[in-house]
């Protein structure tokens, strides 16, 4: 920061963002001057030596033939092209070296050493050097146009002058006359160098021309003085951007993830949120925010290690106190008892504008306790159903090699004469209880095939009853499966997958549950839920009532499985929907249980999120973003990042060098990521203390103005902005505790930019619903939300603990886990 202004136009680059581009540019210049231009100059020198002098080579006598009169232009143009290419590359190398040095001066908020210098140097590079480079590229193209005429005429001149014999030398042919004159076809080496040089220059010219066009476009739009936009107009602008962005994504992915009717979506909520979230005048560029996230990740890691140290210290004190008491009494309260094993945790508290962190501990699930074992067993068993409803796309993603052959074999190809998996409502109504009925599948039946493979349906222990796969706004796919091993009818609801689901996700304004509570027999007084969750739940419930399959399977004298219970499972948006559906169905199915996987953080108000703890369990994988996602969490993350940007005291490149997790050729956590003192030294070396900040600097003045605007917008939203929302159910958090050391794991992490969890080790701990009130910055914060990753982690943990997921377990009470709600 601040953003660079070129020719009076603002860009998305800061003055300290140019070191890496300059480094790449200098590497290209060195390559042009050595690997490309040296072979060309070698060829010119060789030709000049064969012709007696450079002058004879450039101005040799052309044949009297009309077609050869211009053949001498090729050597002349080649000499001019090589000379100007060398000059431009040399000047650019020196200029980029100076720009590299200037760009690295100062720090993100201290721009005085570099601000105007960088802008003037870039303008010189874009205009004078850019124009000369365009002319050089044109000259290189014209030179090639004369090449064929030049070599054809030279060959004809040689053949016509006297007897000729041919010899082969290395990679070219020689025509040697009786007088001893030698004429050669051009060697392949220098032509390759010439082509690579010209292509590299052409790419530069294209980038320069596109930059010119962008500036010209901005100039034409800014010809009229722009007035500040009213808040409502900004909301309309954001809504338009969201619509066009979703339409573009839909077309660019060939509608694989939906997006055919994005113009009818409701973008009002997200437009208001984005307007409020970004309103203000902070002169930041994207790289400033990336730098802030990198530093914040280290600070959060420091907090985790600090909490671990505090909890260990308290445990040691407790053990010493217990050892001083009676041995019998100590044995019943000992902190090292497996039944009371705890894991360190830190939680964030906010009081007004003040934020502070508290070191605490949470109880680790113990497989020797029946309740803990049953929770893990149930979660591992039903996690495959929340994955199965995502059908073939996630199946191929998780099985990139063997997935396609298995899918083709299971779907038995495209049934040209069959109706595939598509069924009508009439079929659904005529069958009392259908088997394998799928609505909304394609002709190849790949959705049904993938669903049955993922769910392990074999018609003996599991059976597919019905699947609804249509997807539109607030209408999400679901399926009904019978799990005979667990004597359960499973209602599995899919989470966010399509662009239409994303639009449903951003219906973030809370919806009152009072009316729904009166209708379905639960207390919804002064309670709210996510607006998109309510829309999806009503549509799914309406469809369940339409075909009545759950009633036919479980209720009445004619029920097919009267002694079975109902289990509702879902992932992401489907998890929030599953919880609300469970509230709606609980009166009809008293033994109902709900299993959530990665539920949204802004699902329900506190009472609704915690009252379901006896029959609803939720599982979250490590740094998963979605269970932590809420407006409050996003605003806290934004405020913390922009505060950190203002405290940085070293150049941006230095921040990247110190924080990027690279060791040798392998990406892995360095030793300091496990040492609280080393992390503290790292952070202290990057940031100024709060008392050292210049409050009169341009950035700090902008920051204070931004915060005051944000406070005004927050108060103007009234009640909806003060409602706190939480993920529902009794929460189990799979916390990462380490990694298995392996060079293979390091290579995979490098290839995936550290987004994989290969080799990661997790431990399950009981947490409270408000423990996820801060977004954890991590390379895996997005990929930890993938349903296949959570499923694999739970299956692996179940195998390591020796849990038999095929055995039915019973739940009596969730009150004895020792975690206050």
């Amino acid at each position: 920061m601040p953003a660079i202004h070129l020719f009076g136009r603002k860009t998305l680059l800061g003055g300290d963002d140019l070191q890496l581009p300059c480094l790449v540019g200098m590497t290209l210049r060195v390559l042009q001057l050595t690997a490309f231009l040296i072979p060309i100059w070698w060829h010119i020198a060789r030709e000049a030596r064969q012709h007696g002098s450079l002058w004879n080579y450039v101005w040799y006598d052309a044949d009297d033939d009309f077609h050869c009169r211009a053949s001498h232009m090729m050597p002349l143009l080649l000499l001019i092209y090589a000379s100007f290419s060398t000059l431009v590359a040399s000047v650019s190398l020196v200029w980029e070296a100076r720009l590299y040095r200037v760009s690295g001066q100062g720090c993100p908020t201290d721009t005085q050493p570099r601000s105007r210098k960088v802008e003037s140097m870039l303008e010189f590079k874009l205009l004078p050097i850019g124009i000369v480079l365009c002319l050089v590229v044109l000259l290189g193209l014209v030179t090639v146009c004369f090449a064929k005429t030049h070599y054809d005429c030279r060959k004809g001149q040689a053949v016509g002058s006297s007897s000729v014999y041919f010899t082969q030398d290395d990679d070219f042919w020689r025509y040697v006359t009786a007088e001893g004159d030698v004429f050669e076809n051009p060697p392949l080496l220098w032509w390759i160098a010439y082509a690579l040089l010209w292509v590299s220059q052409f790419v530069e010219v294209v980038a320069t021309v596109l930059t010119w066009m962008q500036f010209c476009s901005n100039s034409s739009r800014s010809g009229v003085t722009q007035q500040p936009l009213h808040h409502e107009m900004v909301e309309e602008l954001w809504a338009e951007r969201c619509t066009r962005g979703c339409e573009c994504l839909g077309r660019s992915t060939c509608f694989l993830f939906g997006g055919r009717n994005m113009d009818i979506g409701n973008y009002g909520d997200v437009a208001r949120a984005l307007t409020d979230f970004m309103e203000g005048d902070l002169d930041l560029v994207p790289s400033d925010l990336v730098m802030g996230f990198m530093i914040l990740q280290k600070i959060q890691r420091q907090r985790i290690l600090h909490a671990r140290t505090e909890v260990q210290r308290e445990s040691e004190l407790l053990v010493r106190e217990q050892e001083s008491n009676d041995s019998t009494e100590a044995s019943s309260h000992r902190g090292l008892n497996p039944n009371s094993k705890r894991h360190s945790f830190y939680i964030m508290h906010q009081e007004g504008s003040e934020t502070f962190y508290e070191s605490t501990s949470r109880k680790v699930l113990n497989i020797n306790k029946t309740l803990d074992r049953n929770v893990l067993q149930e979660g591992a068993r039903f996690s495959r159903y929340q994955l199965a409803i995502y059908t073939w796309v996630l199946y191929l993603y998780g099985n990139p090699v063997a997935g396609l052959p298995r899918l083709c074999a299971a779907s038995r190809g495209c049934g040209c004469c069959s109706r595939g998996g598509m069924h009508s409502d009439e079929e659904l109504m005529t069958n009392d209880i259908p088997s394998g009925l799928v609505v909304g599948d394609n002709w190849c039946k790949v959705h049904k095939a993938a669903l049955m493979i993922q769910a392990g349906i074999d018609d003996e222990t599991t059976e597919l009853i019905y699947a609804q796969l249509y997807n539109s706004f607030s209408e999400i796919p679901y399926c009904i499966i019978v799990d005979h091993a667990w004597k359960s009818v499973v209602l599995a609801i899919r989470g966010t997958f399509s662009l239409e689901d994303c639009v449903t996700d951003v219906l973030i304004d809370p919806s009152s549950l009072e009316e729904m509570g009166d209708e379905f027999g639960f207390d919804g007084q002064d309670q709210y839920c996510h607006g998109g969750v309510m829309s999806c739940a009503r549509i799914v419930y309406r469809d369940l009532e339409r075909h009545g399959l759950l009633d036919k399977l479980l209720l009445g004298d004619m029920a097919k499985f009267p002694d079975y219970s109902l289990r509702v499972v879902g992932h992401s948006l489907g998890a929030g929907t599953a919880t609300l559906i469970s509230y709606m169905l609980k009166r009809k199915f008293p033994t109902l249980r709900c299993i959530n996987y990665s539920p949204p953080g802004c699902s329900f108000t506190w009472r609704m999120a915690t009252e379901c703890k006896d029959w609803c369990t939720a599982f979250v994988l490590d740094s998963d973003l979605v269970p932590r996602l809420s407006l409050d969490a996003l605003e806290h993350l934004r405020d913390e990042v922009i505060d950190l940007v203002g405290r940085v005291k070293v150049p941006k490149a230095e921040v990247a060098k110190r924080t990027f997790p690279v060791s040798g050729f392998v990406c892995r956590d360095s030793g300091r990521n496990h040492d609280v003192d080393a992390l503290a030294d790292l952070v202290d070396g990057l940031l100024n203390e709060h008392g050292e900040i210049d409050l009169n600097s341009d950035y700090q003045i902008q920051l204070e103005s931004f915060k005051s605007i944000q406070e005004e917008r927050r108060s103007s939203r009234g009640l909806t902005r003060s409602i706190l929302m939480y993920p529902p159910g009794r929460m189990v958090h799979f916390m990462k505790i380490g990694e298995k050391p392996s060079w293979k794991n390091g290579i995979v992490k490098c290839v995936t930019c550290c987004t994989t969890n290969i080799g990661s080790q997790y431990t399950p701990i009981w947490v409270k619903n408000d423990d996820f009130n801060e977004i954890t910055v991590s390379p895996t914060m997005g990929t930890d939300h993938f349903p296949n990753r959570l499923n694999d982690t739970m299956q692996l943990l179940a195998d390591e603990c020796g849990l038999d997921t095929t055995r039915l377990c019973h739940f009596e009470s969730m009150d004895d886990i020792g975690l206050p709600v």
Side-chain angles (χ1 to χ4, degrees):
M1 67 163 294
I4 297 175
H5 288 72
L6 297 178
F7 310 108
R9 303 287 174 260
K10 185 177 180 180
T11 69
L12 293 177
L13 292 175
D16 50 358
D17 291 339
L18 303 178
Q19 286 195 299
L20 181 59
C22 287
L23 195 60
V24 173
M26 287 189 291
T27 303
L28 177 61
R29 304 298 166 228
V30 172
L31 197 64
Q32 290 175 340
L33 289 170
T34 55
F36 301 161
L37 279 166
I38 286 180
I40 296 175
W41 281 115
W42 172 82
H43 169 73
I44 294 174
R46 196 167 181 276
E47 290 284 347
R49 187 172 60 253
Q50 291 176 355
H51 285 80
S53 68
L54 181 62
W55 181 265
N56 291 337
Y57 169 58
V58 174
W59 295 106
Y60 77 95
D61 251 346
D63 193 79
D64 290 336
D65 185 0
F66 173 78
H67 297 289
C68 292
R69 288 180 180 175
S71 63
H72 68 286
M73 291 295 294
M74 189 269 182
L76 177 62
L77 293 175
L78 179 61
L79 179 63
I80 298 174
Y81 174 71
S83 301
F84 274 93
S85 294
T86 304
L87 177 64
V88 171
S90 301
V91 172
S92 296
L93 178 61
V94 174
W95 205 255
E96 285 161 357
R98 288 186 58 195
L99 194 56
Y100 177 87
R101 181 179 59 82
V102 173
S103 179
Q105 295 176 354
C107 65
T109 55
D110 181 18
T111 63
Q112 191 62 31
R114 66 171 184 270
S115 55
R116 187 53 197 159
K117 294 179 185 178
V118 168
E119 293 175 358
S120 59
M121 293 176 71
L122 272 179
E123 289 173 352
F124 180 82
K125 178 174 172 56
L126 283 173
L127 268 186
I129 297 180
I131 292 173
V132 173
L133 186 60
C134 289
L135 296 176
V136 170
V137 169
L138 291 175
L139 182 61
L141 187 62
V142 173
T143 303
V144 173
C145 295
F146 284 97
K148 187 177 186 305
T149 302
H150 171 74
Y151 285 105
D152 287 347
C153 290
R154 286 188 59 186
K155 178 181 177 182
Q157 188 179 30
V159 173
S161 62
S162 57
S163 59
V164 176
Y165 64 93
F166 304 94
T167 64
Q168 186 176 10
D169 183 12
D170 297 333
D171 58 347
F172 53 87
W173 288 91
R174 289 182 174 183
Y175 304 88
V176 185
T177 67
E179 292 78 8
D181 295 330
V182 180
F183 297 90
E184 302 171 351
N185 268 343
L188 183 62
L189 175 64
W190 87 269
W191 270 114
I192 292 177
Y194 185 95
L196 292 175
L197 174 63
W198 189 87
V199 168
S200 66
Q201 292 172 336
F202 178 75
V203 171
E204 284 188 77
V205 167
V206 170
T208 303
V209 170
L210 290 176
T211 305
W212 290 345
M213 293 173 61
Q214 182 66 27
F215 283 130
C216 292
S217 174
N218 289 343
S219 177
S220 63
R221 285 199 299 264
S222 60
V224 180
T225 303
Q226 295 185 353
Q227 299 295 330
L229 295 178
H230 194 267
H231 190 82
E232 283 70 18
M233 295 179 65
V234 177
E235 289 184 11
E236 294 177 5
L237 180 61
W238 274 113
E240 180 70 17
R241 289 172 178 171
C242 292
T243 304
R244 298 295 167 253
C246 291
E247 290 177 348
C248 182
L249 283 173
R251 292 190 177 95
S252 63
T253 57
C254 299
F255 303 108
L256 178 64
F257 303 101
R260 295 182 183 275
N261 300 304
M262 300 308 297
D263 55 328
I264 63 175
N266 181 9
Y267 302 94
D269 286 4
V270 68
R272 283 190 294 273
L274 287 171
T275 303
D276 292 347
F277 192 76
M278 299 182 179
E279 187 170 5
D281 188 17
L282 272 180
D283 194 1
L284 291 174
V285 294
S287 62
D288 294 326
L289 301 179
V290 173
M291 176 191 65
F293 282 118
M294 295 172 72
I295 298 174
L296 180 58
Q297 182 185 4
K298 298 300 179 184
I299 293 176
Q300 289 181 340
R301 180 63 181 171
Q302 182 184 2
R303 292 169 185 161
I304 292 173
L305 294 179
H306 178 72
R308 185 176 301 171
T309 303
E310 291 293 320
V311 172
Q312 289 174 348
R313 184 182 298 115
E314 291 177 3
S315 299
E316 291 171 358
L317 290 175
L318 179 61
V319 170
R320 284 197 292 267
E321 291 177 1
Q322 292 169 341
E323 288 176 347
S324 64
N325 296 329
D326 179 79
S327 58
T328 304
E329 181 182 353
S331 62
S332 63
H333 295 88
R334 180 175 292 273
L336 300 178
N337 189 316
N339 291 336
S340 61
K341 184 179 179 182
R342 306 183 75 83
H343 198 285
S344 59
F345 209 79
Y346 85 90
I347 55 177
M348 180 190 71
H349 297 284
Q350 286 184 297
E351 293 182 1
S353 60
E354 297 296 326
T355 301
F356 59 95
Y357 297 86
E358 175 189 357
S359 299
T360 183
S361 62
R362 292 289 182 257
K363 191 174 181 181
V364 177
L365 274 73
N366 183 5
I367 61 171
N368 295 323
K369 294 185 62 175
T370 302
L371 175 63
D372 293 2
R373 183 174 61 252
N374 288 349
V375 166
L376 290 177
Q377 200 167 316
E378 180 188 47
R381 174 68 180 185
F382 290 93
S383 66
R384 59 180 180 174
Y385 300 127
Q386 58 90 19
L387 176 60
I389 191 59
Y390 282 92
T391 66
W392 69 271
V393 177
L394 269 186
Y395 178 69
L396 292 182
Y397 173 79
N399 303 272
V401 178
L404 186 59
R406 292 175 184 171
L407 203 56
C408 292
S411 61
R412 299 183 299 278
C414 293
C416 298
C417 299
S418 70
R419 297 182 53 232
M422 304 179 70
H423 297 265
S424 64
D425 288 344
E426 287 74 13
E427 283 184 85
L428 181 61
M429 297 307 174
T430 54
N431 293 316
D432 288 338
I433 298 179
S435 178
L437 185 60
V438 179
V439 177
D441 202 351
N442 52 35
W443 289 99
C444 295
K445 300 177 285 186
V446 292
H447 288 291
K448 179 179 179 180
L451 191 155
M452 297 185 71
I453 294 174
Q454 292 273 51
I457 294 175
D458 54 12
D459 293 331
E460 293 182 3
T461 59
T462 49
E463 177 185 356
L464 175 65
I465 300 297
Y466 173 71
Q468 190 288 113
L469 301 179
Y470 286 123
N471 187 203
S472 63
F473 296 105
S474 299
E475 183 178 8
I476 54 179
Y478 71 92
C479 67
I480 299 174
I481 297 173
V482 178
D483 189 329
H484 297 292
W486 277 63
K487 292 187 176 181
S488 298
V489 174
V490 183
L491 172 62
I493 304 174
R494 198 191 74 181
T496 301
F497 184 75
S498 67
L499 291 171
E500 287 85 357
D501 297 334
C502 293
V503 175
T504 304
D505 286 336
V506 298
L507 299 176
I508 54 179
D509 280 356
S511 297
S512 174
L513 290 170
E514 185 172 351
E515 182 179 343
M516 180 177 284
D518 294 339
E519 181 179 355
F520 294 101
F522 62 87
D523 184 10
Q525 183 72 29
D526 298 326
Q527 296 300 299
Y528 297 84
C529 77
H530 183 283
V533 167
M534 175 172 284
S535 299
C536 291
R538 285 199 175 277
I539 291 177
V540 171
Y541 181 82
R542 189 184 309 128
D543 198 53
L544 292 173
E545 288 293 297
R546 179 180 61 85
H547 55 65
L549 288 177
L550 294 182
D551 295 353
K552 297 173 185 177
L553 290 168
L554 297 170
L555 298 180
D557 297 334
M558 302 297 293
K560 189 172 183 180
F561 306 108
D563 57 338
Y564 282 25
S565 61
L566 175 63
R567 277 180 165 86
V568 186
V569 304
H571 172 265
S572 188
L573 174 65
T577 304
T579 306
L580 189 54
I581 283 286
S582 298
Y583 270 111
M584 299 165 74
L585 296 175
K586 187 66 175 173
R587 183 170 58 180
K588 184 184 292 187
F589 303 97
T591 60
L592 174 149
R593 286 190 55 79
C594 179
I595 306 101
N596 289 333
Y597 302 88
S598 304
C602 52
S603 296
F604 296 92
T605 43
W606 180 258
R607 181 158 59 80
M608 289 292 292
T610 57
E611 277 187 350
C612 58
K613 62 183 179 65
D614 287 332
W615 48 266
C616 179
T617 309
F619 299 92
V620 177
L621 180 62
D622 197 41
S623 57
D624 188 350
L625 169 67
V626 173
R628 298 171 168 86
L629 208 55
S630 66
L631 278 177
D632 289 331
L634 284 172
E635 288 179 350
H636 174 74
L637 178 67
R638 175 202 63 198
D639 294 342
E640 194 165 14
V641 168
I642 60 180
D643 280 335
L644 288 174
V645 170
R647 293 175 55 196
V648 175
K649 61 182 180 182
V650 298
K652 199 177 295 181
E654 186 66 22
V655 174
K657 187 187 303 182
R658 297 187 191 181
T659 58
F660 200 66
V662 175
S663 178
F665 295 99
V666 180
C667 297
R668 63 172 181 261
D669 287 338
S670 57
R672 67 186 177 197
N673 283 338
H674 306 282
D675 186 343
V676 65
D677 294 328
L679 280 172
D681 292 339
L682 170 65
V683 173
D684 291 342
L686 297 176
L687 302 178
N688 285 311
E689 296 294 335
H690 287 284
E692 300 173 350
I693 301 174
D694 182 9
L695 299 179
N696 295 320
S697 65
D698 292 340
Y699 180 76
Q700 292 299 324
I701 294 173
Q702 293 175 12
L703 185 59
E704 288 302 316
S705 174
F706 178 82
K707 290 181 178 179
S708 63
I709 292 174
Q710 287 297 313
E711 189 61 35
E712 291 176 5
R713 295 309 310 163
R714 188 179 295 108
S715 60
S716 68
R717 290 302 180 194
L719 178 63
T720 57
R721 292 300 297 271
S722 62
I723 297 176
L724 299 179
M725 312 281 278
Y726 306 91
R730 183 75 71 174
M731 308 292 296
V732 177
H733 182 208
F734 294 99
M735 178 173 285
K736 182 178 177 180
I737 57 174
E739 293 181 4
K740 296 178 181 178
S742 169
W743 65 270
K744 293 181 180 180
N745 295 347
I747 291 177
V748 174
K749 283 183 175 293
C750 238
V751 172
T752 60
C753 298
C754 299
T755 58
T756 179
N757 67 341
I758 183 171
S760 298
Q761 298 172 312
Y762 302 94
T763 187
I765 61 175
W766 292 108
V767 294
K768 296 171 61 176
N769 302 69
D770 57 350
D771 284 345
F772 296 107
N773 60 352
E774 183 186 31
I775 294 174
T776 301
V777 179
S778 166
T780 61
M781 60 192 297
T783 53
D784 279 344
H785 186 64
F786 287 8
N788 60 311
R789 180 167 294 188
L790 180 56
N791 176 68
D792 293 344
T793 300
M794 298 192 69
Q795 299 301 330
L796 180 61
L797 188 62
D799 292 341
E800 290 176 349
C801 296
L803 301 179
D804 183 9
T805 59
T806 63
R807 184 180 63 83
L808 174 64
C809 60
H810 299 278
F811 292 84
E812 296 181 0
S813 174
M814 300 285 282
D815 293 333
D816 61 340
I817 67 173
L819 179 67
V821 177

